[in-house]
Amino acid sequence: MIDAKDVPSPEQPEDAFAAVVALRGLAAALERAAVDHALAQGWTWNHIGQALGMSAQAAHKRLSPSRRTPPPQDR
């Protein structure tokens, strides 16, 4: 868990932007791994979409293993 005291201050933009990029990469990797495990456990795209606050179609379009683009840190 990330503690708020460890987050760089916006008054230090270089550190803050680096943290934002790192957090985006971490979130994307966690999301993709969780989707892979959910699919392996038999979850439907409707269930995955509900868990992520989006429609089944949106979840499938963005997160389906066959349609994925590389995570931000790999681009």
Side-chain angles (χ1 to χ4, degrees):
M1 191 60 97
I2 297 172
D3 193 335
K5 71 178 185 209
D6 297 331
V7 176
S9 167
E11 296 170 0
Q12 301 293 326
E14 187 169 338
D15 292 342
F17 291 143
V20 168
V21 170
L23 289 169
R24 283 181 184 153
L26 180 62
L30 176 59
E31 185 177 60
R32 289 166 190 241
V35 166
D36 290 345
H37 285 282
L39 291 171
Q41 293 174 17
W43 285 40
T44 64
W45 283 107
N46 187 47
H47 194 182
I48 292 169
Q50 285 180 343
L52 293 172
M54 63 179 70
S55 70
Q57 292 81 11
H60 184 267
K61 182 176 180 180
R62 198 178 92 203
L63 298 165
S64 175
S66 64
R67 303 182 76 172
R68 290 182 187 165
T69 56
Q73 72 271 13
D74 293 345
R75 289 183 190 170

